[in-house]
Amino acid sequence: MPHLNVSSWATCKEICPWGSYGDGLNGGGALIAVDDSTGEIVGVNFYSDAPSDTQVKHPLAGVASSLQGFQEDGRIDEAGYPIRFDNSMMYGPMAVADHASGKDLARKLLEGMVPIAQQRADARIISFVDNANSASIAVHRRVGLSSLTEFEFEGRPYTLFSRNV
């Protein structure tokens, strides 16, 4: 299997000729991985402010409800930070090109969220994973994210992951 060299990273603001996806849309944007040898985009990880709408018809409602409960209960994380909407950055969806799969790019895209969250002054990055996606759950755990809680949306179980930055 040939080595994939990705040392080129860009935010959507730097690479999208039509304007940025985010950098303002829900406080978000995208981290984009570019294959150095071909210039091809091989991965992307979107990010935004943590969701707060508990009524939306999407699993994000479960994330918002969980965060709302943590905030109301005054729950703190392992580093002593309160878990709130305003100090959590949501990331995902994340996508990796088929030919780049298995080459550690998902880990790099997840770890790439840390400096973005730090720049935004967030205390943590959060994401949710469908529990049926065991590969994604394994990647999240491998890069140091821990499970905050589980929730269901339309009968499907999800895990809410978090990592302090």
Side-chain angles (χ1 to χ4, degrees):
M1 187 178 321
H3 175 70
L4 176 68
N5 187 17
V6 176
S7 60
S8 301
W9 297 91
T11 63
C12 202
K13 185 176 184 177
E14 298 164 330
I15 202 170
C16 298
W18 58 87
S20 64
Y21 148 77
D23 304 322
L25 176 67
N26 293 329
L31 179 64
I32 300 165
V34 180
D35 183 331
D36 291 341
S37 63
T38 66
E40 174 188 12
I41 294 174
V42 292
V44 63
N45 196 353
F46 293 93
Y47 60 90
S48 66
D49 292 339
S52 59
D53 185 353
T54 60
Q55 301 304 310
V56 66
K57 300 293 184 209
H58 189 274
L60 288 173
V63 175
S65 293
S66 297
L67 288 173
Q68 182 178 35
F70 296 153
Q71 190 164 314
E72 289 171 357
D73 295 343
R75 183 167 167 187
I76 60 171
D77 62 26
E78 62 274 6
Y81 294 107
I83 301 173
R84 301 187 316 251
F85 296 107
D86 66 346
N87 69 356
S88 300
M89 183 184 85
M90 180 82 183
Y91 69 88
M94 177 176 53
V96 174
D98 287 343
H99 68 278
S101 181
K103 297 180 181 175
D104 209 28
L105 187 54
R107 179 189 60 79
K108 292 177 182 177
L109 283 166
L110 286 172
E111 289 180 350
M113 292 292 99
V114 171
I116 293 169
Q118 289 170 332
Q119 184 178 24
R120 292 167 36 108
D122 288 310
R124 79 188 43 74
I125 56 175
I126 60 170
S127 191
F128 66 94
V129 177
D130 185 324
N131 285 0
N133 190 344
S134 59
S136 181
I137 287 175
V139 168
H140 280 76
R141 289 189 173 134
R142 192 168 45 251
V143 299
L145 282 104
S146 58
S147 172
L148 280 178
T149 192
E150 290 191 4
F151 63 90
E152 280 194 15
F153 179 76
E154 295 184 349
R156 294 184 68 100
Y158 293 86
T159 298
L160 176 60
F161 285 96
S162 172
R163 176 178 167 182
N164 290 340
V165 295

